[in-house]
Each structure stands twice: as C-alpha cells, then as structure tokens.
Amino acid sequence: MNKLVEFLTWYYKADIPAETLRKKYAHPASKYMPIDGMDVHYRDEGNMNDPVPIVLLHGTSSSLHTWDECTKELIKTRRVIRFDLPAFGLTGPHPKADYALNTYAGFITKVLDKLKVDKVCMAGNSFGGSITFNYALNNPDRVEKIALLNSDGVKFKIGMGAIGFVLMYILGHIPILKYLLYYCTPEDVVKASVKGVYGDPSKITPAIFERYRDFTLRAGNRKALADRLVTKYADNTERLKDIKLPTLLIWGDLDAVVPVKVSEVFDKEIPNSKLEILKGVGHVPMEEVPEKVTPLIQDFFA
C-alpha cells in the first residue's frame, strides 16, 4: 500500500482545465464550433476563394498544431482547414466516448457542412491518415485528392517508438490499473513518446514537448486516449484497392511507430498512388521537415 501511495504521489498530475489551455494557446485564427456536445477547436485560414480547400488531420495524442509550419506556407495561396479531433487537443473527449471511424467520418462531414464546404483535398498523419482514406472511400463526392503521411489503418507490427501508446493499451485492458491512466502521467513516458515519433530528436524543442504534455493533461483527454486506444479498428488493407482518388504517400524512413515497409502496402494496393520516402525522418514529417512536406503537398494538391 505504501508503494502505491508513493507511486500516486510521485506521478499524479492534475487535469488542466480547457479554458486555461485556450488562453495559453490562443491564436487569432482559433475558433470554436458546437458539434455533438463538443466545443470543437478549429482554424480556417488563407484564400477564402479557394474552390477546393485543404483539410489537414493530426494523429493520436496530437492536435492541429502539428501542421503549424506547413500551414504558414500553404495559406499564401490555399484555404486551409484544421481542427482538433475528438479525444484530443482543445476539443477534448467525445461525450459518449465513441471513437469509431464512422463516428469520426460523421464528425468531419458536420464540420464541413457548418463551414459550407462541398469538396476538399485531405491530408492526414498516422491515425489521421486512417480517418482520411476511410472518409474518402465513404464520401468520394466530397474529396478530390488525398495525402497520407505515415498512415495507419492496415495490419502491422507497431514499432517501439510508440512505447507510450503500447503501455496505455496494455493498462487500458486491466480494469483496476486503467484508472491510473486518468491521473498518473509520468513525464518520462511523455518525453519518450514524443522522442519516439521524431527521426531526429534534437529537433524537439521545449515548446513542442510542453505542448504535447499540456494537451495530454487537458481535462478529459487522458481517459479519452485510453478509450480511443482500446477501440477496435478493422484491418483495411483490402479496402485500399477501392481508393480511386489520386493519393500521395509521404513516409519517414526512420518511422519507429508505423515502419516504412508499411508504405509499400499502401503503394501496392492503392491504384493511383505516388510514394515519397523522406530520409532521416520519423513518424511526424510535417513537424520534423515541413520544408520538405509542404512543397510535396502544394504540388500534389495544385
């Protein structure tokens, strides 16, 4: 019992209220829209006359900020829409803890409808990539082209760069221990998780780590992450052949979460795909090398 008390005392981290983080990460372009009981954080920037805006989706435990550097360049000519997906960032947990892919698809449709956007190009990283190609498959009339960056959505052996996710997945299936996930967040685990998604960890600034930590501690997000990680998703490898849209695949060759060999599965199965391998880059290329990712997306979505 004493050891448990010591553990809880040492690793306990209080939730950070959403309003506190709204103030800390305030940005002139940040807005909020009510959807399904959530106050969705989004940014809609750039050329508002763009007939086919670009939608950028982040991955697990991330936020719209992961696209910051790419967006700075893209909005010079294009309209760019980003939002924090349910369970993450300032948007926070889904009221019904519903993190099925179809639920995310319905969520995206509601966002686009509220913004009165009929057709888009979509780019998604990691889990956001899985959401992107599934949305395109189910809504081909609303998507013109897609870009998948280190995407999941097919069966693969997860890399050790995802040690934090693996630990939460294991604990999330143990009835008593899973509650520790809601209150105990060792900074070393957060740091290891952030380092695990970069090919070159020296590029991780204190501000980047602080942002990931803050949004992990956003009120409700730890339980939401645990719920998201134990949600079962189908292996969609067989569905890839049904993607008829032009598809850009961008992958870091040092991805320690979704290994680069997974990109070969996507490239082989998607009929109209183009694969770009970035040397020395990890799981979040739009953060690590935005100067390489941005022109690839610009040219492909042009």
Side-chain angles (χ1 to χ4, degrees):
M1 180 61 72
N2 289 338
K3 291 293 184 181
L4 178 60
V5 172
E6 288 179 17
F7 178 87
L8 293 174
T9 301
W10 187 257
Y11 290 120
Y12 171 78
K13 296 290 184 183
D15 279 343
I16 302 176
E19 190 57 37
T20 299
L21 293 178
R22 281 191 182 191
K23 293 176 181 177
K24 181 174 181 177
Y25 292 96
H27 187 279
S30 285
K31 297 179 181 178
Y32 300 86
M33 69 169 68
I35 294 180
D36 296 337
M38 296 172 287
D39 210 12
V40 177
H41 175 224
Y42 75 100
R43 295 181 187 174
D44 186 359
E45 305 168 89
N47 175 15
M48 301 308 286
N49 292 318
D50 187 350
V52 184
I54 296 173
V55 171
L56 302 175
L57 300 184
H58 63 79
T60 297
S61 288
S62 191
S63 66
L64 59 75
H65 298 80
T66 196
W67 291 99
D68 277 353
E69 294 305 312
C70 291
T71 299
K72 288 177 183 177
E73 189 64 29
L74 290 173
I75 59 175
K76 292 179 180 179
T77 56
R78 302 295 300 270
R79 179 180 178 183
V80 178
I81 299 168
R82 298 178 282 162
F83 37 83
D84 290 340
L85 291 163
F88 309 114
L90 291 174
T91 295
H94 188 287
K96 296 181 180 179
D98 185 353
Y99 303 113
L101 282 176
N102 286 341
T103 302
Y104 277 109
F107 167 83
I108 291 171
T109 293
K110 290 172 184 177
V111 171
L112 297 182
D113 286 349
K114 281 182 176 286
L115 295 176
K116 296 180 170 55
V117 173
D118 295 323
K119 197 159 193 171
V120 299
C121 291
M122 292 184 69
N125 170 242
S126 191
F127 181 56
S130 181
I131 295 173
T132 294
F133 77 75
N134 276 280
Y135 187 79
L137 280 168
N138 295 327
N139 302 273
D141 57 322
R142 300 201 74 162
V143 185
E144 186 172 277
K145 297 180 181 179
I146 60 174
L148 308 178
L149 291 79
N150 301 67
S151 178
D152 66 13
V154 301
K155 188 176 182 179
F156 67 95
K157 185 176 181 180
I158 195 167
M160 290 309 294
I163 185 63
F165 298 149
V166 172
L167 178 62
M168 293 194 75
Y169 176 82
I170 294 172
L171 292 178
H173 282 83
I174 303 174
I176 297 176
L177 294 182
K178 73 176 183 180
Y179 293 104
L180 293 177
L181 301 176
Y182 308 162
Y183 306 105
C184 298
T185 308
E187 290 222 350
D188 288 345
V189 173
V190 178
K191 287 181 178 178
S193 296
V194 177
K195 286 183 179 180
V197 298
Y198 272 69
D200 180 3
S202 69
K203 292 186 176 182
I204 303 172
T205 65
I208 290 174
F209 166 70
E210 185 175 356
R211 185 187 77 221
Y212 275 100
R213 183 202 63 201
D214 284 352
F215 288 135
T216 296
L217 298 178
R218 189 266 194 210
N221 275 4
R222 282 179 284 186
K223 181 181 184 304
L225 175 58
D227 290 337
R228 216 292 288 161
L229 289 177
V230 298
T231 299
K232 293 183 178 180
Y233 299 105
D235 174 8
N236 283 301
T237 305
E238 288 299 315
R239 298 192 71 202
L240 295 180
K241 66 180 183 300
D242 297 323
I243 300 175
K244 307 303 181 185
L245 301 175
T247 302
L248 173 64
L249 304 170
I250 301 175
W251 231 274
D253 70 329
L254 297 183
D255 191 340
V257 180
V258 184
V260 67
K261 63 182 180 181
V262 177
S263 68
E264 299 171 6
V265 177
F266 280 88
D267 194 34
K268 177 184 176 182
E269 298 296 331
I270 299 175
N272 193 9
S273 64
K274 176 183 179 183
L275 175 60
E276 297 282 353
I277 303 293
L278 303 181
K279 300 295 184 181
V281 178
H283 187 61
V284 286
M286 64 286 173
E287 278 192 35
E288 195 170 356
V289 287
E291 72 281 1
K292 294 182 179 179
V293 170
T294 304
L296 289 174
I297 289 178
Q298 279 179 320
D299 292 345
F300 191 72
F301 286 166

